[in-house]
Amino acid sequence: MPTQPFSPLSPRFASKLPDVGTTIFTVMSQLANEHGAINLSQGFPDYPCHPDLLDALTRATRAGHNQYAPMAGLPALRQAIAAKLQRSRGIAVDADQEITITAGATQAIFTAIATVLHASDEAIVLDPSYDSYAPAIAAQGAIPVRVALRAPDYAVDWQEVERAVTPRTRMILINNPNNPSTSIFSAADLDALAAIAERHDLFVLSDEVYEHLVFDGLEHRSVLAQPALRARSFAIYSFGKTFHATGWKIGYCVAPPNMTAELRKIHQFLVFAVNAPAQHALAEHLADPAHWQALPGFFQAKRDRLAPGLRAAGFKLLPSSGTYFQLADFRGLRANISDVEFARWLTIEHGVACIPLSVFHVDGHDAGLVRFCFAKRDETLDAAIARLASLRA
Ligand code: PMP
Ligand code: GLN
């Protein structure tokens, strides 16, 4: 694609990401704001985070924790994470050598990818995929190789994944629970992934930011609990998701010591260290398991509040096993428009913003689906349902 210089005097600029525009999350949130729509598009809560967390942050800043944190992250926070992994999942992790605190999961993802991939290497991405994966791969001069998953269940055909492996493949990216498909991996999925990764000596990047958002008594299965995957995976998490604080942008990466040592080489020159007072506050907040144990019930109630309203409005819902999103088939309401047109129309004409699924597929696959975020106050969900009732009128 031809690139334009910034000005007639600037050097010629060859974009590393010529096909990348503004993310769909920003586009739809802006459209929602412009039209006064209820924003169920971009994934972020509209309710406050826990008052204890806010108090802890105030205390941390007042106590003078306002200078650089250690490069790998505050030891107290890394120890609290290790204790949580042990307590909640029985997973033993060395806080010093295996945990790195990052500026959100996004930076952890980019850093892990930059750690492993050289120019012309390949990384396998399962589509629909979270929007940062492919650009982070492409920015290394590496190649995202897509394997398409399809609605309604988005099951992975692991034989197809293995067929996509070439001598240049270095990494497979997974997202479990999955945004946007809302599906979760079974033990058999992880075993199949482990077998492929071992056979072809691949790294695994496992984005587990929605680890606590799993419903209906189902279980999150982390790569960290599967010995073969534990030895070759970067497992990535986000406090933005777990503690309703997406604006804090603090996450972390868990990986074996040799992988962590390489990751930190990139990390120290990408950010060096991340927000110090927030790390103090999070270390304190993590000490109380009640702060995360309530999450599945809390979000399942919200899912179950929104779902009947969507159904009554004429949407056909796909099962939502995890994340804080609900997929909805709109073809019973408007059969002949694209999902992007539908999302714009719903935002502008009916005042409820959502995300079209096709943008998560490199081939633009459009199955007539949109994504609604239910991490919202009950009043917000009820107001959206009331607006959507006009769809059938
Ligand atoms: N991965 C997935 C699947 C996500 O949905 C998100 C954000 N919602 C992220 C990563 C990024 O997390 P963070 O905001 O901590 O960078
Ligand atoms: N992950 C969030 C979502 O899926 C948005 C994050 C962002 O805006 N970059 O909606």
Side-chain angles (χ1 to χ4, degrees):
M1 183 185 273
T3 51
Q4 297 297 319
F6 286 126
S7 79
L9 296 177
S10 72
R12 246 162 54 85
F13 195 79
S15 175
K16 285 192 164 184
L17 301 172
D19 300 326
V20 166
T22 307
T23 78
I24 189 68
F25 309 119
T26 305
V27 169
M28 291 312 297
S29 281
Q30 269 172 6
L31 195 69
N33 291 340
E34 269 166 42
H35 293 273
I38 296 171
N39 191 0
L40 305 189
S41 66
Q42 192 176 20
F44 64 90
D46 71 344
Y47 42 83
C49 33
H50 201 293
D52 291 355
L53 184 60
L54 303 180
D55 290 346
L57 180 65
T58 307
R59 272 198 306 281
T61 55
R62 294 263 180 232
H65 298 304
N66 299 303
Q67 309 309 327
Y68 291 127
M71 184 270 279
L74 195 72
L77 179 55
R78 287 187 277 122
Q79 280 149 19
I81 291 166
K84 171 178 176 281
L85 277 166
Q86 182 62 258
R87 181 178 188 142
S88 63
R89 306 201 189 283
I91 295 166
V93 165
D94 182 317
D96 288 333
Q97 297 189 71
E98 298 192 299
I99 299 175
T100 308
I101 311 298
T102 58
T106 308
Q107 186 235 315
I109 292 165
F110 192 96
T111 309
I113 287 171
T115 300
V116 168
L117 297 181
H118 292 252
S120 306
D121 283 347
E122 293 175 6
I124 294 179
V125 174
L126 308 178
D127 267 6
S129 56
Y130 184 62
D131 72 339
S132 84
Y133 302 162
I137 295 166
Q140 317 309 320
I143 300 153
V145 173
R146 315 284 188 140
V147 174
L149 313 182
R150 293 297 186 229
D153 57 3
Y154 295 97
V156 183
D157 176 344
W158 291 104
Q159 288 180 348
E160 193 185 343
V161 171
E162 188 154 25
R163 283 196 295 275
V165 175
T166 76
R168 297 225 65 101
T169 311
R170 302 290 295 134
M171 187 180 233
I172 301 186
L173 285 79
I174 60 164
N175 176 206
N176 174 37
N178 189 280
N179 175 16
S181 80
T182 78
S183 59
I184 61 172
F185 276 178
S186 64
D189 283 316
L190 289 188
D191 289 346
L193 171 64
I196 294 172
E198 283 196 308
R199 263 198 299 278
H200 301 278
D201 197 22
L202 305 177
F203 289 98
V204 172
L205 187 160
S206 184
D207 177 345
E208 301 184 11
V209 299
Y210 298 102
E211 61 167 334
H212 292 299
L213 280 60
V214 173
F215 310 128
D216 306 319
L218 294 168
E219 204 188 314
H220 170 64
R221 295 176 196 280
S222 173
V223 289
L224 299 177
Q226 220 276 9
L229 290 171
R230 170 85 171 86
R232 53 182 66 244
S233 297
F234 297 92
I236 290 170
Y237 303 90
S238 168
F239 289 114
K241 304 292 161 192
T242 303
F243 292 143
H244 318 296
T246 61
W248 285 29
K249 293 298 297 185
I250 310 277
Y252 56 98
C253 176
V254 182
N258 60 332
M259 291 165 58
T260 293
E262 283 299 315
L263 176 112
R264 288 180 185 170
K265 291 182 189 173
I266 307 268
H267 173 78
Q268 73 174 336
F269 295 118
L270 195 54
V271 289
F272 176 64
V274 307
N275 189 299
Q279 292 192 61
H280 280 271
L282 288 163
E284 211 181 299
H285 203 64
L286 264 184
D288 183 353
H291 289 148
W292 72 82
Q293 283 167 348
L295 288 169
F298 174 79
F299 281 112
Q300 185 169 324
K302 292 198 176 293
R303 180 196 68 174
D304 294 345
R305 193 173 189 106
L306 180 63
L310 292 176
R311 277 196 205 96
F315 290 97
K316 195 169 153 241
L317 303 191
L318 273 62
S320 170
S321 305
T323 76
Y324 44 47
F325 303 113
Q326 173 68 59
L327 295 188
D329 185 329
F330 61 80
R331 288 170 299 186
L333 286 160
R334 302 276 320 258
N336 295 322
I337 60 174
S338 73
D339 61 356
V340 173
E341 286 166 329
F342 181 85
R344 286 186 59 83
W345 173 79
L346 198 70
T347 307
I348 297 168
E349 301 297 331
H350 292 273
V352 179
C354 57
I355 298 278
L357 256 279
S358 62
V359 301
F360 297 93
H361 291 271
V362 72
D363 60 2
H365 176 72
D366 181 352
L369 294 172
V370 287
R371 189 197 81 176
F372 293 96
C373 173
F374 52 76
K376 304 292 168 189
R377 283 175 291 153
D378 287 350
E379 306 87 271
T380 308
L381 297 175
D382 293 347
I385 291 167
R387 288 189 182 188
L388 291 172
S390 67
L391 277 174
R392 279 210 147 159

